[in-house]
Amino acid sequence: MCCHKSKAQLRNGSSKVGCRPCHSRCQPKRTVQQDNIMEKGNTEVVPQHFNNWPNSQGFESWDEQREPIELTVKGVIPSWASGTLYRTGPGGRTIETDKGTTFKLSHWFDGFSQVHRFQIIPQGTPDGVSRVVYNSRHTVDKFVENIRKTGSLNDFSFAQKRDPCQSLFKKFMSYFNSSTDANIGVTVSTNFPGLPPISNDERSNESKPHHASGIQTLTAKTDSARLKRLDPETLEPVGVTDQRCLHPDLSGPFSAAHAKSDPETGDVFNYNLSIGRTSVYRVFHVSAATGETTILATVSDAPAAYLHSLSLTRNFVILCVWNSHYAMGGAKVLWERNILDGISAFDASKPAKWYVIDRHHGQGVVASFESDPFFCFHTINAWEEEAPPAYAEQTEHTDIVVDMSVYENLDVLKRFYYENILSDSPAAAKFVGSKGDSARAQLRRYRLPGIPAPAALPFQAPDLSSSSGHPKQAKIDFTAPRSSSGELPTLNPKYLTRPNRYIYVVTDSGEQSVFMDGLGKYDTLTGELTRWCEHGQNPGEAIFIPAPSGKNEDEDNGVLLSVVLDGHRGKSYLLCLNARDMTELGRAEIDMVVGFGFHGTFF
């Protein structure tokens, strides 16, 4: 294992020593072309893995464990980290069909959905160790069986190409397919407000009628308005609905996979995007207390775009329409029946648009901004700060700070075709090293200055633009170098909507592996990256579990849980790291491959 720190570019633009390499075992030894052509004798060519860092098993896993089993724990997973971790994302991608053909998905975002459940059960004292019980299942059995019988995919997808011969109306209506096996599995939420609990008729025979854990519902989400309900114990699909069940005006087909939740109330915030001659974003709020949904604002002067997430502060929702615009106002998505082919080419002449929306006083959009163009999957955190001296004469104004993981263009969307991320694929060469820099994320902090303070909102008209009549300009506080950045960013959940110092990421050096190659802790104050990596180990998103109150209130006092594939052994494990220094505390070994998933949640 290697755990090291590196000094990155600081906020003022100065820099210190660059990212120090990991242990020599983690370093690339060969090019992709060299690794993929190894002769055995003089006749047979045997595929090899780039840098002897295998990952291909993680993209083709049909393993599942429907009955809960206890895992072998090595080291220590603290008992205070007890709870339930759910993970969701793709499992397999290849189906042998009844037509005698082989059906293969082409993009990672379209992999057949699977959900995993890890129960971390304390033993003895609060400072003791934990047991780990695991179960999993694919959630698209009928969906897969239909492909097996027909040899084709008829549902919408992210990037799979199909025959676009159906009428536009039929395509639109099929987007709201009510099948319980719709391929929905990018994010997962427990106790999503506004949705009914699972009835006894819907509950599987194996599921208990009451959940001692407090988890009553489990909901899978994606970048559409559809929501898939799952049994939180057996993980069996219960049904598919859409956002119209929350509010009848949420009739558009698109939304963010990452709805934002208020860390204190549990209220949920998201947008619904309808397309047509005029595209309309409806930003809405679902009350955890009442289940009622309120539309906070409508935005109709921004282009329809693929927006995977949005931001939330204690008083505002921030909708950023970055530069992943749908062609033809979104109609091309319906025509192509996939999102990627429906997105226009990146246009560097068009600014990103930002909308600040009041949460509490019914004021709608209270400010708008523009910034240089960029693309983003994941917002990280946002909070409010007192306006600087420039706004001293405007005492009732505040700044909003937004952290994101950003890209300079849309190259990353095509990078995630399977052929570009499999360790034994020659095509991955085009993203190795500096050639793939545009498809690697950078951590960035934006500032939206001079927002009307919450106390002033009910008593004055919204200040939508600058005095010139044009949107204000969003400012950049800092951008971290790629060597100190990463994807799938997380933080201590106690700091959501509050200023935070540390961001945890999955690193992608572009040198050690053709995919994710480590876990990192980025210090936004010093620009320092502390990294965990181990040769041939392929980690997923790291979920932060805070230490109990009273132990130590430091922001980084807790543990990280990440599902890791050991590419050499062809087996996965649940890794537990000390979130302070990124050293391993323990692991729970799984006697199978857990596919490379996207996101998880801990309850």
Side-chain angles (χ1 to χ4, degrees), residues 30 126 174 178 187 238 256 279 323 330 366 400 453 518 549:
R30 310 168 64 91
S174 71
S178 62
T187 61
V238 173
S279 299
N323 300 70
V366 298
I400 291 178
S549 298

Side-chain angles (χ1 to χ4, degrees), residues 429-557:
K430 58 180 174 285
F431 290 101
V432 169
S434 60
K435 292 179 292 184
D437 278 354
S438 63
R440 291 190 183 87
Q442 293 182 270
L443 299 176
R444 179 174 294 168
R445 176 166 294 173
Y446 285 96
R447 182 175 295 271
L448 309 180
I451 307 294
L457 286 176
F459 308 106
Q460 67 181 46
D463 176 20
L464 298 182
S465 61
S466 65
S467 58
S468 66
H470 300 292
K472 301 175 183 178
Q473 288 298 305
K475 300 179 180 179
I476 296 176
D477 280 4
F478 70 83
T479 302
R482 292 181 178 88
S483 60
S484 296
S485 298
E487 253 299 353
L488 305 176
T490 58
L491 70 153
N492 183 335
K494 291 183 177 181
Y495 285 78
L496 289 169
T497 72
R498 298 169 49 197
N500 70 289
R501 177 173 176 175
Y502 302 111
I503 299 170
Y504 297 89
V505 296
V506 182
T507 62
D508 171 21
S509 69
E511 299 292 344
Q512 299 169 14
S513 166
V514 296
F515 193 54
M516 311 299 185
D517 54 21
L519 296 170
K521 172 190 178 184
Y522 181 72
D523 187 331
T524 64
L525 184 62
T526 67
E528 184 176 79
L529 180 77
T530 306
R531 189 168 182 239
W532 174 92
C533 67
E534 192 167 309
H535 190 275
Q537 309 305 296
N538 305 274
E541 175 191 57
I543 302 294
F544 190 105
I545 314 300
S549 298
K551 276 183 168 291
N552 183 322
E553 297 301 325
D554 289 348
E555 180 184 338
D556 58 355
N557 185 29

Side-chain angles (χ1 to χ4, degrees), residues 33-95:
Q33 292 94 332
Q34 289 171 327
D35 279 340
N36 280 279
I37 303 175
M38 182 170 289
E39 292 189 5
K40 184 177 181 181
N42 294 321
T43 58
E44 185 180 356
V45 177
V46 181
Q48 297 294 309
H49 298 280
F50 173 69
N51 192 27
N52 191 28
W53 193 303
N55 69 22
S56 54
Q57 311 104 308
F59 296 109
E60 188 68 273
S61 174
W62 290 99
D63 293 338
E64 60 180 11
Q65 178 62 50
R66 295 196 177 187
E67 293 297 322
I69 58 169
E70 185 159 344
L71 304 181
T72 300
V73 176
K74 294 184 177 180
V76 173
I77 298 177
S79 60
W80 52 257
S82 62
T84 302
L85 172 69
Y86 292 99
R87 295 284 304 162
T88 187
R93 67 187 182 97
T94 305
I95 300 172

Side-chain angles (χ1 to χ4, degrees), residues 386-398 449-453 463 472:
E386 184 178 350
Y391 288 91
E393 71 281 5
Q394 303 176 21
T395 56
E396 294 186 334
H397 280 70
T398 188
I451 307 294
D463 176 20
K472 301 175 183 178

Side-chain angles (χ1 to χ4, degrees), residues 366-407:
V366 298
S368 62
F369 294 82
E370 290 185 350
S371 69
D372 288 341
F374 68 94
F375 172 68
C376 173
F377 286 121
H378 300 114
T379 61
I380 304 169
N381 196 19
W383 62 88
E384 299 155 34
E385 292 184 352
E386 184 178 350
Y391 288 91
E393 71 281 5
Q394 303 176 21
T395 56
E396 294 186 334
H397 280 70
T398 188
D399 285 1
I400 291 178
V401 178
V402 183
D403 284 350
M404 295 176 157
S405 185
V406 304
Y407 298 85

Side-chain angles (χ1 to χ4, degrees), residues 73-79 127-130 559 576-577 584-587:
V73 176
K74 294 184 177 180
V76 173
I77 298 177
S79 60
D127 293 323
V129 298
S130 297
V559 298
C576 181
L577 296 180
E584 180 173 342
L585 296 175
R587 61 178 68 183

